[in-house]
Amino acid sequence: ETGVTQTPRHLVMGMTNKKSLKCEQHLGHNAMYWYKQSAKKPLELMFVYNFKEQTENNSVPSRFSPECPNSSHLFLHLHTLQPEDSALYLCASSQASSGRLNEQFFGPGTRLTVL
Amino acid sequence: KNQVEQSPQSLIILEGKNCTLQCNYTVSPFSNLRWYKQDTGRGPVSLTIMTFSENTKSNGRYTATLDADTKQSSLHITASQLSDSASYICVVSPQSGYNKLIFGAGTRLAVHP
């Protein structure tokens, strides 16, 4: 285990549903990330939080809404998604510093299917 | 545009054989280059991290090399095992934006008995 947990592991939702993904890290890190991984494509960075403040929004549609209540927890609220949003959503954490070997630790991901 | 290209896209080898995966990148300047292993249905796990001044790093049967002049890296797997079946992802960290990693699409490795 990497010290980063995600729930649920699998989620199937309709386009009109509202759901949330949860991420929790037990590593004492202060930076957290959401990534989208589609089949045969590189991981796409969605959001970055440093010390609970959003520092990066990589042109993500507003139907994805992140929330970071503290340095250990990160949520991704989903509403009115499209079928093309079906993917593996990965959470990661790291130290929020400019250390050259600043490693990101990933959770197991949530496999999302939008019908 | 900063890019990380990996080859081959997929690879099948027999158990016990060696293999080498390639990564070419255009990210410049860069801080470090990492190789991750991602098992099916799991998140990526770091195998090696190399700074621009390092040219080789080993982790058990995994050996990564880096040529910063040609902007190429390779991951060599020795004496492959069935458990090596996974995707291997090359990741480059630019000097600016230290936490904005740039990912390759990965090489899907299947080790057959």
Side-chain angles (χ1 to χ4, degrees):
Chain A
E1 296 301 324
T2 63
V4 181
T5 58
Q6 290 186 243
T7 55
R9 294 294 308 277
H10 301 273
L11 178 62
V12 179
M13 59 187 289
M15 289 190 286
T16 59
N17 292 156
K18 290 184 179 181
K19 297 288 185 182
S20 295
L21 310 185
K22 178 182 176 182
C23 176
E24 183 174 1
Q25 58 95 1
H26 310 275
L27 301 169
H29 292 158
N30 38 42
M32 297 188 76
Y33 313 77
W34 279 118
Y35 289 91
K36 176 183 179 182
Q37 186 177 33
S38 303
K40 298 184 179 180
K41 294 177 65 177
L43 270 73
E44 302 171 47
L45 179 64
M46 300 175 71
F47 302 103
V48 181
Y49 278 82
N50 287 299
F51 297 97
K52 302 186 300 179
E53 299 296 322
Q54 186 181 124
T55 57
E56 187 76 26
N57 178 337
N58 202 22
S59 302
V60 180
S62 60
R63 57 185 183 270
F64 294 91
S65 175
E67 178 190 1
C68 189
N70 55 60
S71 292
S72 299
H73 294 85
L74 185 65
F75 296 89
L76 188 62
H77 304 299
L78 316 172
H79 64 97
T80 60
L81 294 191
Q82 305 297 312
E84 60 264 29
D85 296 323
S86 298
L88 181 68
Y89 288 85
L90 291 163
C91 173
S93 71
S94 74
Q95 292 296 343
S97 69
S98 58
R100 292 189 304 171
L101 299 181
N102 196 11
E103 184 174 354
Q104 292 186 19
F105 292 81
F106 288 84
T110 294
R111 172 66 64 187
L112 173 66
T113 303
V114 182
L115 301 177
Chain B
K1 179 181 178 182
N2 287 334
Q3 284 191 325
V4 178
E5 302 287 342
Q6 292 188 242
S7 62
Q9 188 175 58
S10 61
L11 181 63
I12 299 174
I13 62 174
L14 294 177
E15 186 180 12
K17 298 297 185 181
N18 304 335
C19 67
T20 300
L21 314 180
Q22 300 292 341
C23 174
N24 296 334
Y25 61 92
T26 59
V27 181
S28 183
F30 81 100
S31 173
N32 58 73
L33 185 146
R34 314 155 190 229
W35 282 92
Y36 280 87
K37 178 186 179 185
Q38 184 176 19
D39 293 311
T40 301
R42 309 287 292 274
V45 175
S46 179
L47 291 175
T48 63
I49 300 178
M50 291 181 290
T51 66
F52 60 85
S53 60
E54 296 177 293
N55 53 30
T56 187
K57 183 70 68 76
S58 291
N59 178 1
R61 294 180 296 103
Y62 302 101
T63 299
T65 63
L66 173 63
D67 186 333
D69 292 331
T70 61
K71 294 185 171 57
Q72 295 180 325
S73 177
S74 65
L75 181 68
H76 186 74
I77 304 175
T78 304
S80 61
Q81 300 176 359
L82 298 179
S83 59
D84 292 330
S85 296
S87 286
Y88 292 85
I89 305 174
C90 177
V91 185
V92 180
S93 176
Q95 273 196 7
S96 61
Y98 63 89
N99 58 4
K100 293 178 65 175
L101 304 181
I102 300 171
F103 292 78
T107 292
R108 181 72 197 173
L109 174 67
V111 180
H112 289 182

